Amino acid sequence: MNPHLREIKAAALAMLIIVGLCVNSSRAHAAETETLVVAGGCFWCVESDFEQVKGVIAAESGFTGGTVENPSYKQVTAGGTGHFEAVQITFDPAQVSRAQLLHLFLRSVDPTDAGGQFCDRGDSYRTAIFVTDPAQKQIAQSAITKAQAALGQDIVTPILDAQTFYPAEAYHQDYHKSSEIVLTRFGPRTKAKAYKLYRDACGRDARVQELWGKDAPFTSGS
């Protein structure tokens, strides 16, 4: 065989091996991640809370549970679509488990309120946990049972079959840390500052702290 041709074949074989390793590595990484979809009132707040958790790779604001395809924020908050404001949490189960995330979730909301969350009222702001199979449902039910025993009050957060998750508009993603300027009732503010003002005014942390005390994972008093 021509030495030059032999070198070309060897190089091509090496390239194929490298590509194969990259594909396998990508598949392995994808297999290592899982997703959890929860509704906890304002999705900015849930996204902000769970991005702090070790093992969480991403948290994306969106909508799920309704009948309208690819709804807008305006449609959902106006009512009638059946959608919840929700967050899709992508996580590494080797670092944090589904059960641990649900433990944190239930203690970061008011799971005794069936009419919304804090200052946000209406169906789109209700709490919920979405599951895809019996195993996930069992984990969610166990988390609710433990939270109810710890709280000493009935928890009304339902466990619902997962439906299509629709990401919210780009405007809403990472709202809590954006430096983009928006006009608020307090005047021009960065989104990050506007988010903080909204969260404080809505009473989220105060109510969670009142309910859960030292077990509230994301409030300044915990």
Side-chain angles (χ1 to χ4, degrees):
M1 179 183 294
N2 186 301
H4 183 60
L5 182 59
R6 186 182 296 112
E7 290 178 4
I8 292 174
K9 286 187 174 182
L13 179 59
M15 183 60 68
L16 287 172
I17 291 171
I18 292 170
V19 169
L21 289 172
C22 289
V23 169
N24 287 335
S25 175
S26 176
R27 287 175 178 168
H29 179 72
E32 289 169 1
T33 64
E34 296 182 17
T35 59
L36 168 66
V37 176
V38 292
C42 169
F43 49 26
W44 298 341
C45 298
V46 179
E47 180 185 323
S48 171
D49 286 346
F50 280 87
E51 283 188 350
Q52 305 174 44
V53 178
K54 183 179 180 181
V56 169
I57 297 164
E60 184 175 28
S61 293
F63 314 105
T64 194
T67 57
V68 176
E69 290 187 11
N70 198 28
S72 68
Y73 177 77
K74 185 177 291 187
Q75 285 177 298
V76 172
T77 54
T81 69
H83 285 289
F84 294 75
E85 281 199 18
V87 172
Q88 181 171 262
I89 301 165
T90 303
F91 64 98
D92 178 357
Q95 296 188 63
V96 63
S97 70
R98 184 176 301 272
Q100 288 172 318
L101 291 174
L102 289 173
H103 174 98
L104 295 173
F105 168 69
L106 289 166
R107 289 158 182 76
S108 68
V109 295
D110 179 354
T112 70
D113 187 348
Q117 286 291 284
F118 318 108
C119 68
D120 294 316
R121 313 313 299 165
D123 288 351
S124 64
Y125 292 108
R126 293 170 296 157
T127 61
I129 298 168
F130 297 88
V131 299
T132 60
D133 56 46
Q136 288 188 9
K137 185 174 183 178
Q138 184 176 10
I139 293 170
Q141 187 58 65
S142 176
I144 287 175
T145 299
K146 290 176 182 177
Q148 188 162 277
L151 190 60
Q153 298 183 46
D154 289 339
I155 286 179
V156 299
T157 301
I159 301 169
L160 303 175
D161 290 336
Q163 298 186 42
T164 302
F165 178 85
Y166 298 100
E169 296 89 336
Y171 176 86
H172 293 288
Q173 307 300 334
D174 292 323
Y175 197 99
H176 63 285
K177 57 187 178 185
S178 173
S179 59
E180 180 183 346
I181 301 295
V182 293
L183 185 61
T184 74
R185 60 177 173 155
F186 306 101
R189 296 287 189 276
T190 64
K191 284 183 178 179
K193 182 61 176 177
Y195 161 75
K196 181 65 167 59
L197 290 168
Y198 153 77
R199 183 163 180 152
D200 289 346
C202 198
R204 186 182 187 102
D205 291 336
R207 175 57 178 158
V208 169
Q209 187 69 31
E210 178 187 0
L211 273 175
W212 292 104
K214 63 181 178 57
D215 292 329
F218 303 117
T219 66
S220 58
S222 60

